[in-house]
Amino acid sequence: MVSQSDVTKTETGEYSHREIMTILSGLMMGMFLAALDQTIVATSVRTIADDLNGFSVLAWVTTAYLITSTVSTPLYGKLSDLYGRKPFFMTAISIFVIGSMLCGISTSMYELAAFRAVQGLGAGGLMSMALAIVGDIVPPRERAKYQGYFLAVFGTSSVLGPVVGGLLAGQSSILGITGWRWVFYINVPLGILALAVVWRVLNLPVNRRDARVDWWGAVLLSVGLVPLLIIAEQGRVWGWGSTRALACFGIGIVGVIAFVLAEIKMGDDALIPMRFFRNRLFALCIAVSVIAGAAMFGGISLLPQYLQVVKGSSPTLAGYQTLPLVGALMVSSIVSGRMISKTGRYKIFPIVGTALMAIAMFTFHYVHADTPLWQTMVVMGVFGAGLGSMMQPLTLAIQNAMPPKDMGVSTSAATFFRQIGATLGVAVFLSMLFTQLTPKTTDALTAAAEKPEFQAAVKAASTSGDPLETGFANALIARDPSIAGSALVDSSFIQKLDSALAEPFRIGFSDAMDYVFLAVSILMVVGFVLVLFVKEVPLRTMSGLAAAKQERDAEAASAAEKKDLE
């Protein structure tokens, strides 16, 4: 049933502050669900991997989630442009909750990865739908006025996620259920509440259009993307020139080419219309989004590992130790948002943001196992400040530059390519970490073997009576080459060893991460250069719905005039 209020909105496309806040309450519930999951899982994933004896396949849990969320994102955008935002936003929440319940019953890392893939199918619509709806109802120049509410959601989830994740993962059992399983079960009541709120408050006008749904595009996108992401994670195990690796490369490349050809044939009905890329601003912002996604997820995913494995922090403490990053992100986002609203200028912020992120990642390259924690936290703050200055302006620039009728598709395209960068970043950078971990740990063990204190610790451990320390010491004495790679299976033993025995493993982890951080910093330099070529377009002063209505009225007037001339 369409209310009089909805009819009015269809006619004007403008919303009052009170109406916007009512709609935002529903959006923030969905966004909180997605944002909390990312932070809560990131903090507890090492505990989960150790419990399920699968630290070496840790990347699959994140990669599976990112693959499905990435592939589904443009489909949500296209379908919501055609049939309305609300049903697809609610569908995304429902799938996410079901996936969370399945993750909670996982019995192996591979099973968890499969259920995370289900969860990702829902996550693909949570963030992109929320951003598209904001674009529908809030003019770009005024969007910063409401940015604080979204920052409150991200800030709250960023603070609560690591703490709650660490607290749950640190418990052996809660109500008879293993503690880390509540990391996923907690999404169930939150998701049900989000569904109730969204169903009640999210009432937007729907302007249905006759168009074909690009199902072939979705299938071909999956065919192209999935093999490439699989080889990105498994290449170090299979060998980059192995038969399986070459098969993945071949299928992936053919799939991507077929997807592009299908999109060209579909024209405006395409999942991601190729005409978008003729817009220079869109193309540049998308390229920067890919790089930023890789740096953000690839870089941030390593920080909890550094704090827990190298510094020996508990998951809960590691969550607290990342607060400088979260705080700097919130402050820089608020400042940049207010400045954009006041001046209408946004280009300077991605420039500053990419520069700060590049500097932070390069500085992380010099953070070692013995670096004081306060110095590491300062670098986290610089990285957070850069991230907060960059992400919102990029999305804003894309939404402002593209036709209002394509708000869902353009917003989901931006999210899609950022997720591609994130997926590749996590897969490639974790693969780089694991590739470097064994040789770096071997070097650290070789160097430690010459030190008297290490020799004394090995001798003491061999007669300590502790099965772990005795077995470890005997392996060192026998020069077992597999000992250096043992952390790939279960890193928790490092915290159980004598400090002198554990030190080479901490150094090995830190040195392997240094290698990755250097690669991320080089990637961010490329992003910085690309941002310099982005042309600033004046921000619109009307909402996406109002601008879309203006477009439809102009098209109708043009069609009527043409008919009269005939």
Side-chain angles (χ1 to χ4, degrees):
M1 180 176 180
V2 180
S3 68
Q4 183 61 41
S5 175
D6 289 342
V7 172
T8 302
K9 296 302 170 292
T10 304
E11 293 174 352
T12 66
E14 297 291 353
Y15 288 78
S16 67
H17 172 73
R18 182 177 179 179
E19 291 165 337
I20 290 173
M21 289 306 302
T22 300
I23 295 172
L24 286 186
S25 67
L27 300 185
M28 288 190 289
M29 285 298 300
M31 295 182 77
F32 180 74
L33 194 63
L36 182 67
D37 181 75
Q38 290 183 2
T39 54
I40 200 172
V41 173
T43 306
S44 55
V45 70
R46 199 206 73 169
T47 302
I48 297 172
D50 288 340
D51 186 59
L52 296 178
N53 299 316
F55 195 78
S56 62
V57 295
L58 178 65
W60 278 109
V61 173
T62 305
T63 303
Y65 176 90
L66 289 175
I67 285 174
T68 53
S69 63
T70 300
V71 171
S72 63
T73 292
L75 194 58
Y76 278 109
K78 187 66 178 182
L79 292 174
S80 69
D81 273 348
L82 297 177
Y83 305 114
R85 313 276 189 231
K86 182 174 181 176
F88 295 101
F89 195 43
M90 294 186 67
T91 298
I93 295 173
S94 301
I95 295 174
F96 188 85
V97 169
I98 293 171
S100 298
M101 293 175 65
L102 292 172
C103 287
I105 63 173
S106 301
T107 58
S108 71
M109 286 295 282
Y110 289 107
E111 199 172 277
L112 177 61
F115 294 145
R116 284 281 282 171
V118 176
Q119 198 181 30
L121 288 174
L126 292 179
M127 202 65 67
S128 61
M129 286 294 91
L131 292 174
I133 294 168
V134 172
D136 282 338
I137 64 177
V138 183
R141 277 292 294 265
E142 297 181 16
R143 206 161 295 160
K145 290 167 53 178
Y146 302 95
Q147 191 176 10
Y149 299 103
F150 288 102
L151 287 173
V153 170
F154 283 104
T156 302
S157 66
S158 296
V159 172
L160 286 179
V163 176
V164 174
L167 181 64
L168 295 176
Q171 303 299 313
S172 59
S173 176
I174 300 175
L175 299 178
I177 300 174
T178 307
W180 65 260
R181 297 184 186 277
W182 288 98
V183 167
F184 301 104
Y185 288 146
I186 197 174
N187 289 329
V188 178
L190 291 176
I192 293 173
L193 178 60
L195 276 174
V197 174
V198 170
W199 178 80
R200 178 69 180 83
V201 306
L202 188 57
N203 298 300
L204 299 178
V206 178
N207 296 289
R208 296 180 181 272
R209 306 201 310 262
D210 292 328
R212 295 173 294 171
V213 177
D214 188 13
W215 297 112
W216 272 111
V219 171
L220 292 173
L221 180 62
S222 302
V223 171
L225 191 60
V226 172
L228 294 177
L229 294 170
I230 289 175
I231 187 56
E233 201 282 331
Q234 290 295 307
R236 66 182 177 85
V237 179
W238 295 349
W240 298 104
S242 67
T243 302
R244 284 183 288 183
L246 294 176
C248 283
F249 282 126
I251 295 172
I253 292 171
V254 170
V256 169
I257 293 173
F259 170 72
V260 172
L261 294 176
E263 299 303 271
I264 293 173
K265 183 178 180 180
M266 289 292 290
D268 283 350
D269 294 334
L271 208 60
I272 303 177
M274 292 295 106
R275 61 180 167 83
F276 283 11
F277 294 93
R278 292 198 291 269
N279 185 309
R280 186 167 177 265
L281 186 149
F282 177 87
L284 282 172
C285 286
I286 288 299
V288 177
S289 293
V290 172
I291 291 172
M296 177 173 66
F297 282 87
I300 290 179
S301 65
L302 295 179
L303 292 179
Q305 309 304 319
Y306 173 83
L307 294 171
Q308 294 179 54
V309 177
V310 179
K311 290 300 184 181
S313 301
S314 66
T316 305
L317 181 58
Y320 283 118
Q321 289 169 341
T322 58
L323 290 182
L325 188 155
V326 176
L329 187 152
M330 291 181 65
V331 171
S332 62
S333 295
I334 292 172
V335 171
S336 63
R338 294 295 179 186
M339 293 299 293
I340 291 171
S341 181
K342 182 178 180 180
T343 65
R345 308 297 295 271
Y346 57 83
K347 180 177 176 178
I348 184 63
F349 297 104
I351 292 175
V352 172
T354 51
L356 289 177
M357 289 175 70
I359 292 170
M361 285 291 104
F362 186 72
T363 307
F364 271 127
H365 172 60
Y366 292 101
V367 171
H368 302 303
D370 58 351
T371 300
L373 184 60
W374 70 267
Q375 293 182 13
T376 306
M377 296 171 80
V378 168
V379 181
M380 287 185 201
V382 175
F383 186 80
L387 194 57
S389 300
M390 182 189 64
M391 298 307 295
Q392 169 69 8
L394 282 177
T395 302
L396 185 65
I398 290 172
Q399 290 180 332
N400 184 67
M402 303 310 293
K405 67 178 181 179
D406 293 323
M407 180 66 70
V409 177
S410 59
T411 303
S412 63
T415 306
F416 166 73
F417 283 104
R418 184 165 62 246
Q419 287 290 83
I420 284 182
T423 307
L424 291 174
V426 170
V428 172
F429 292 135
L430 281 180
S431 182
M432 290 171 61
L433 171 66
F434 290 135
T435 299
Q436 289 293 310
L437 184 56
T438 297
K440 294 295 184 183
T441 303
T442 300
D443 292 343
L445 285 169
T446 301
E450 304 298 324
K451 299 178 180 180
E453 58 270 25
F454 184 78
Q455 295 171 358
V458 171
K459 184 177 180 181
S462 65
T463 58
S464 66
D466 182 278
L468 174 66
E469 290 195 350
T470 300
F472 180 77
N474 291 336
L476 287 174
I477 295 171
R479 298 186 181 277
D480 184 351
S482 67
I483 194 68
S486 56
L488 288 172
V489 178
D490 184 352
S491 66
S492 63
F493 78 91
I494 298 175
Q495 275 69 51
K496 301 174 184 176
L497 292 174
D498 176 81
S499 179
L501 295 177
E503 188 64 18
F505 288 89
R506 296 194 181 107
I507 293 174
F509 256 97
S510 179
D511 290 349
M513 289 179 185
D514 292 344
Y515 178 84
V516 179
F517 284 133
L518 179 61
V520 178
S521 68
I522 294 172
L523 188 63
M524 283 312 306
V525 170
V526 176
F528 173 78
V529 173
L530 290 177
V531 168
L532 296 177
F533 293 96
V534 172
K535 181 181 178 181
E536 194 166 45
V537 176
L539 295 175
R540 291 195 304 266
T541 56
M542 64 173 62
S543 69
L545 287 173
K549 180 181 181 300
Q550 189 179 72
E551 277 188 351
R552 292 194 302 272
D553 291 344
E555 290 173 358
S558 177
E561 183 179 345
K562 183 178 180 181
K563 186 176 181 180
D564 290 341
L565 291 175
E566 293 175 351

